[in-house]
Amino acid sequence: MRRAIATVCLSGVLNEKLTAAATAGFDAVELFENDLITSFWGPERIRERADDLGLAIDLYQPFRDLEAVAPEVFTRNLRRAEHTFDIMQRLGTGLVLMCANVGADAIDDDDLAAEQLHAVAARAGERGLRVCYEALAWSRHVNDYRRSWRIVELADHPSLGVCLDSFHILSRGHDPAAIEDIPAEKVFFLQLADAPVLAMDVLSWSRHYRCFPGQGDFDLTGFTRHVLTAGYDGPLSLEVFNDVFRRSDARRTARDAMRSLLALEDALAEATSADSDGARLGPDVQLSRTPAAGEPSGMAFVELAVNDLSGAPTEAVLSSLGFVHTRDHVSKPVSLWQQGDASVLLNRNASRSAGDVAVSAFALETPDPELSRARAEHLLSERLPREKGPDEADLTAVAAPDGTSIFFARTASGTDGWLADFIAPATGTNTPGHGTPDVGSARPSARHVTAIDHLDLPQPFDSFDEAALFYRCVIGLQPQQSFELPATYGLVRSRVLTTADRGVRLALSVALLGTGGSSRTEPEPQHVAFACSDVLGAARALTRSGAHRLEIPDNYYDDLDARLAVDPQLLAQLRELGVLYDRTGTGEYLQLVTPLVGGHLFFELVQRIDGYDAYAAGNAPVRISAHRGVTMRRQPRPPGSRR
Ligand code: MG
Ligand code: MG
C-alpha cells in the first residue's frame, strides 16, 4: 500500500519535512497549506523538490468552513476555493480536504451542505480535481462520519467523496463498523492517528496529543480493517498533531512514523489472514509482513556500565544484596554477578562520566535471536556493531531509542549461549569489593533474589512515545498501566510494558515537561528491581552486614497504617527495616530500595505476594524524596542553620 505522512507531523521548514519523509521511505505527503504559505518556494518549485525526492503530494489541506452557509458567504467561499484549486494545479495535486464547517454561522441543514458541496465539487471536477469532505470531531453540526457520508451521498457528485480520520471517529466513540457501508470509490482518503485516552475536549486532545498508531490507546488495527474491508486501496496516511513531534528531530520522527505503519500493516495482515474476511480486501491491497519473532521469555542479563571509580561501590552493593561474582568474560573487562536466575554484568569498558553507573544493555531471551534481530531491522531499528573473539557467541544487538543496547540471546548452556563466553574468575583476583568469588561459600541466608523483576528506564523527553512503540512492536511487549507521579521537581509519567506471562517487565518514565535552561530537574534515576523470595529476610541480612540503607520517613509508615491498616507486627518490621509496602486486592508487595549508586541508579528487591501485578506507584514519591534527602543531607548546612 502507499504510505503517506502529513507535513504537519514533522518539525522544520518544508524542505526539511519533505527530506525527512523521503528518507524514511514514504511514497507521498499531505501538504499543509501553512507549510506552503510560509515557504519561499512557489508551488512549482515545491512540486519539483517533491519529484526529486520521489514523493507525491497526495493531498492538499485544509480548506475550512465552505459549506452550509448563507448564499453571500458561499459566494466568497467559492472564490477562496478557486484560489486553492489554482495552487493545487500548480502543485500537481489532485485532491483537497474540506473540513466540515466549525463556524458559528454554519447552518444545521444537510440539504444546503450537500447542495454547496455539489457546486464546489463541480468546479473542481471541471479542472480534473477532487474534493474529500471530513467530519471533524468538533465541527459545528457535522461531527460524525456517518453524517458526512450522508451529505456526500446526497450531494452525489463524482468529484466528491469522504475523508475518514481515525481520530475524529474514535475520539467520539463512534462505531467504525458502518465504514464498511460506504462504497470504496467514495472513500477518497484515509488519515490515521492514535491517541492516549484522555478526558478532555476533543479539539485540544486532537491538537496536542495525537500520536502514531501503536503509541496510544485506540484500536487502529480494528479501525483500518473496516476501511480496507470497504474496499479502500488508497494511501495509509498519518496525520498527527503532537507537541513533542513538532519540535523533535524530523528524520527521527519520520522513521518512527514509518515503523508505526509497518507494524500496523503487519497486524492487519495477521488479523485478516486469521479469518475469512481477508478475502474481501481489494486486489491491490498488499500489506507488508514483518518476521514474527515470538515473545521474549525473560531477561537473560542486565549490563551496567561502570568505570574505575564506580565499579567497586557497585560491586559492594551487589555483594550486600547477596550477589556473587561468578565469572569473567574471556576477552573483555566484563564481570558476571549472579544470584538465582538474576545475572548482572559489570562492564568496566564503558566510558561513563566519573563515578557514574548506568544500564547500558540488557538481554532478552528469545526463541530465535536471529529472527528477533531480523524483525527489529525490518522495523527500522539500528543494528549495533559488535566486536567479538573468534570463538565467542555472536550476540546480536539493536539500539533502543534511548541508546540502550538490546541483545537477543539464548541462555542455553550449550555452545551458542552467551554464558559460554564467561569463565571462572582467576583465583587471586581480589579486587576490592569483589565480595565472595567462590559460589560455594556465599552466605546462603542472605540470598533471596530469584530473578530480574523489572527495569525502570527514564527516557529522553523527545523520544518517550518512540520508545513505547519500539518496545511494543519491535520487542513484542504489551502496554499495561500508565501513571503520573509527583517527583520532587515536577510530574513524571510512567508507562509499563510487559510480556503476557510477565517474564519481562519494563517501566519507561519521562518528565511531563521538557527541561528548560533554568530548570532544577535532572533525569530521574534508573533502577533494576530483583524478584526476591523474602524481602524482610534480605533487609535483615542487609542491616546485619552494615551496608548503607535508604532511610524512609516515619510519616510514611503512619500513613500506611491509616490507609491500609497493615498488621501491627508487619508494620513494625517494615518500619524497622525501611521496607516499603503496597496492597491491591489480596495481592501484597514488599519493596526494599537501595541508596543511589553512582548518582543515577539504584536497585530494588521486590516480593510479589498472591499475584500482585503492579509497581507500587504510590510509594514512588516517598522513594524519590528519600533519595533526594540523602543528597540534601550530604550538602554542608550553612553555618548557624539548624536542622
Ligand atoms: Mg484529518
Ligand atoms: Mg520499581
Side-chain angles (χ1 to χ4, degrees), residues 453-456 507 527-529 589 591 602 604 606 608 615-616:
D453 185 273
H454 63 270
L455 294 185
D456 188 311
H527 72 262
V528 182
Y589 191 60
Q591 182 187 14
F602 64 91
E604 281 183 351
V606 303
R608 298 178 181 276
Y615 302 83

Side-chain angles (χ1 to χ4, degrees), residues 52-270:
D52 288 348
L53 290 167
L55 281 176
I57 301 171
D58 275 0
L59 182 82
Y60 185 62
Q61 76 139 316
F63 191 96
R64 298 187 193 280
D65 301 339
L66 171 105
E67 85 295 7
V69 290
E72 66 280 9
V73 179
F74 186 61
T75 305
R76 288 201 300 273
N77 289 351
L78 272 183
R79 183 183 168 277
R80 268 202 300 137
E82 294 286 2
H83 183 76
T84 295
F85 296 156
D86 292 343
I87 291 173
M88 288 167 64
Q89 287 185 308
R90 294 171 66 191
L91 279 171
T93 302
L95 183 63
V96 64
L97 175 78
M98 293 201 175
C99 308
N101 202 327
V102 301
D105 60 348
I107 300 163
D108 190 4
D109 181 343
D110 288 0
D111 289 322
L112 178 64
E115 183 194 317
Q116 293 178 338
L117 282 166
H118 182 101
V120 82
R123 297 220 183 176
E126 281 165 19
R127 302 188 191 217
L129 305 176
R130 299 188 307 157
V131 173
C132 58
Y133 183 52
E134 179 188 40
L136 306 181
W138 55 90
S139 288
R140 184 83 178 167
H141 304 294
V142 184
N143 49 33
D144 182 329
Y145 77 96
R146 290 161 292 200
R147 188 165 176 190
S148 58
W149 160 232
R150 224 166 34 237
I151 293 170
V152 165
E153 205 178 12
L154 215 54
D156 191 24
H157 192 284
S159 299
L160 182 68
V162 290
C163 170
L164 298 172
D165 179 319
S166 62
F167 180 88
H168 295 306
I169 295 169
L170 299 176
S171 65
R172 293 192 65 98
H174 294 155
D175 183 353
I179 289 172
E180 297 185 20
D181 301 334
I182 307 175
E185 68 276 9
K186 281 297 186 183
V187 183
F188 280 9
F189 208 71
L190 170 63
Q191 294 178 315
L192 297 172
D194 200 345
V197 166
L198 298 169
M200 70 192 304
D201 73 282
V202 282
L203 175 56
S204 309
W205 188 10
S206 172
R207 197 162 278 173
H208 302 284
Y209 297 99
R210 285 188 181 216
C211 52
F212 296 125
Q215 294 179 335
D217 298 318
F218 291 160
D219 175 13
L220 265 294
T221 308
F223 174 86
T224 311
R225 267 193 75 178
H226 290 303
V227 185
L228 297 186
T229 303
Y232 176 80
D233 62 2
L236 301 177
S237 188
L238 297 165
E239 189 202 30
V240 168
F241 310 90
N242 181 293
D243 292 350
V244 180
F245 299 166
R246 279 179 195 270
R247 59 165 244 178
S248 342
D249 181 278
R251 285 178 189 248
R252 200 165 160 165
T253 307
R255 186 183 58 177
D256 191 29
M258 178 55 79
R259 174 182 292 152
S260 79
L261 276 188
L262 293 171
L264 175 67
E265 285 182 41
D266 191 50
L268 281 165
E270 188 69 34

